[in-house]
């Protein structure tokens, strides 16, 4: 088992844009395994490759209570989105910060699974929120950047304080 270090906001590498995977080879399979281990250990319900400083369109998710329903999304694309919903979000790259974010309520997404089979996911609820949160990471966006400037300033101050106390 290999745990990967997770980048912490405001690390500029969190703003890199990931590129599509062209071939699912042993290197990608190892990345998926290590990302899943890292997500479960954190613990988190999702992890985007961007967060472990790998800039490829790879996401792992497990929103199950039993933590045994791993979903791998490679090269995900939103086909359609409808409605709006507010949900309190957190992020492994922004530890200790939880804020309400508005997302699409229902989404339809195409992606490849870990074996390279293409699949269509139609979902709402927590899985829809999580997929949108992870897909934002792949284009260099962190959830706090969707908040008001005032909230972002308060979060930056809180993170500075946390960092000082950790030293
Ligand atoms: O573990 C996580 N929980 C979470 C809760 C609400 C909305 C989104 C998430 S994703 C987050 C893990 C993470 O940072 N993924 O990028
Ligand atoms: Ni996140």
């Amino acid at each position: 088992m290999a745990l990967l270090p997770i980048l912490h906001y405001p690390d500029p590498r969190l703003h890199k844009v990931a590129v599509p995977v062209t071939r699912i080879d042993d290197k990608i399979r190892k990345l998926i395994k290590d990302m899943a281990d890292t997500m479960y250990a954190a613990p988190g319900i999702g992890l985007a490759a961007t967060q472990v400083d790998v800039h490829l369109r790879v996401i792992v998710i497990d929103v199950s209570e039993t933590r045994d329903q791993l979903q791998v999304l490679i090269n995900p694309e939103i086909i359609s989105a409808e409605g709006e919903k507010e949900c309190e979000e957190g992020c492994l790259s922004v530890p200790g910060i939880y804020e309400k974010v508005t997302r699409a309520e229902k989404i339809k997404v195409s992606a490849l699974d870990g074996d390279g089979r293409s699949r269509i996911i139609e979902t709402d609820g927590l899985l829809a929120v999580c997929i949108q949160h992870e897909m934002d990471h792949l284009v260099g966006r962190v959830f706090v950047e969707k908040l008001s400037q005032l909230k972002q300033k308060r979060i930056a101050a809180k993170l500075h304080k946390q960092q000082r106390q950790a030293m």
Side-chain angles (χ1 to χ4, degrees), residues 15-105:
H15 296 129
K16 289 197 189 183
V17 176
V19 299
V21 171
T22 51
R23 206 169 78 93
I24 300 173
D25 54 15
D26 285 349
K27 223 178 106 193
I28 295 293
R29 279 186 281 270
K30 168 92 164 84
L31 171 68
I32 290 166
K33 173 80 172 65
D34 292 348
M35 283 176 61
D37 289 344
T38 304
M39 171 186 74
Y40 286 121
I45 59 169
L47 189 72
T50 307
Q51 293 177 277
V52 294
D53 201 23
V54 176
H55 302 282
L56 294 171
R57 291 184 66 81
V58 176
I59 291 169
V60 294
I61 292 179
D62 190 339
V63 293
S64 72
E65 299 253 318
T66 43
R67 313 289 288 150
D68 59 358
Q69 307 280 313
L70 179 68
Q71 302 200 51
V72 178
L73 278 69
I74 297 171
N75 302 345
E77 296 295 342
I78 300 266
I79 297 169
S80 62
E82 55 180 271
E84 266 192 12
K85 204 181 77 169
E86 235 190 10
C87 179
E88 184 157 275
E89 299 194 12
C91 181
L92 295 173
S93 295
V94 198
I97 306 289
Y98 302 89
E99 295 284 348
K100 280 194 173 157
V101 177
T102 303
R103 303 271 185 194
E105 185 179 20

